[in-house]
Amino acid sequence: MDGSTPSARPRFELQRWLMHPATRPVWLLVLLLVLWDLAVRVFSIPPYLIPPPAAVVKQLVAEWPMLLQQSLPTLYATLGGFIASAVIGVPIAMWIAYSRTVESFVYPLLVFSQSVPKVAVAPLFVVWFGFGIVPKVIAAFLLGFFPVVVSTVQGFKSVEPDVIDLARSMGANPLKIFLKFRLPQALPAIFSGLKVSVTLAVVGAVVGEFVGANSGIGFVLQRATGTFDLPLMFAALVVLSMMGVLLFLAVEVVERWLMPWHASQRHDLQATA
């Protein structure tokens, strides 16, 4: 039996729940909302510049069915661009990591492609592919592709050559070396790139919707901007942020499922124990 009294146990459990790592972002969000509301009231900011949080919440509740429906095209474009980034980016990164010749040719072109503003080239995708989902997927892909490549290249280059030499001396074939040594060593970096990529893919999908679309959260943002409906604009931004957070958490869940052995996962388990 422990030394705590029965009356102290509920208080301890409440304190433990309040300080749980999963609830800390909620308290930070509440604090930011309070500061937002205080700033609007203290500085007398007019609603046409920054709406109060209550107006945004009211609009979010009132327009939730519409916002949920409009978020689906954005979600589809985001997932399409993100999956394309992973499927194309990881093999190209492996190709770059294993060949200095390929790296010298391809890597500068990738860096150059990132210096081109996506908003500037997005209208070309509409001209080439029309007003369907394809231009949005391409815009999401272009924004999410580079982080996957950079992180994956660094992951595969971080494998110690001595470990590979030891595996070869013990008779391991190239496939076994890849599956047992190279890939596990590179997985943390790959998932770091994927988590950055999935959030940038959301931005890319919205950029594609800004250029030419009649649906999606980007279309809602454009319509709200044209009518100066700031509460609707902020409500759409909230939905967009929620989408990015949920996709990020989904990638993180897959990461924890595939890498329970990694030091970061063991640290998380110890912290929550």
Side-chain angles (χ1 to χ4, degrees), residues 16-104:
R16 184 179 179 183
W17 179 79
L18 291 176
M19 297 305 296
H20 194 275
T23 60
R24 291 172 188 171
V26 178
W27 303 127
L28 177 60
L29 181 61
V30 171
L31 177 62
L32 292 176
L33 290 176
V34 172
L35 293 177
W36 176 6
D37 188 71
L38 287 176
V40 171
R41 295 175 186 272
V42 171
F43 297 103
S44 300
I45 302 177
Y48 60 84
L49 290 180
I50 300 179
V56 177
V57 173
K58 182 179 178 181
Q59 189 78 331
L60 184 63
V61 173
E63 300 292 343
W64 179 251
M66 182 273 294
L67 291 172
L68 183 62
Q69 181 182 5
Q70 294 295 334
S71 66
L72 293 179
T74 307
L75 178 62
Y76 298 151
T78 300
L79 291 177
F82 170 67
I83 293 173
S85 299
V87 172
I88 299 176
V90 173
I92 289 180
M94 292 170 57
W95 195 25
I96 293 173
Y98 293 149
S99 174
R100 293 187 178 274
T101 303
V102 174
E103 180 180 7
S104 62

Side-chain angles (χ1 to χ4, degrees), residues 200-232:
L200 291 178
V202 178
V203 179
V206 175
V207 168
E209 291 172 348
F210 279 162
V211 175
N214 55 5
S215 62
I217 298 297
F219 173 74
V220 174
L221 287 172
Q222 275 194 322
R223 188 179 63 185
T225 303
T227 58
F228 292 97
D229 190 351
L230 262 69
L232 179 59

Side-chain angles (χ1 to χ4, degrees), residues 258-273:
L258 288 177
M259 299 192 313
W261 45 266
H262 195 253
S264 62
Q265 311 304 331
R266 293 197 300 270
H267 176 74
D268 291 342
L269 291 176
Q270 293 173 1
T272 55

Side-chain angles (χ1 to χ4, degrees), residues 231-253:
L232 179 59
M233 183 190 304
F234 275 74
L237 290 175
V238 169
V239 173
L240 202 62
S241 301
M242 291 171 54
M243 183 186 303
V245 170
L246 291 176
L247 290 174
F248 181 92
L249 292 177
V251 176
E252 194 169 57
V253 168

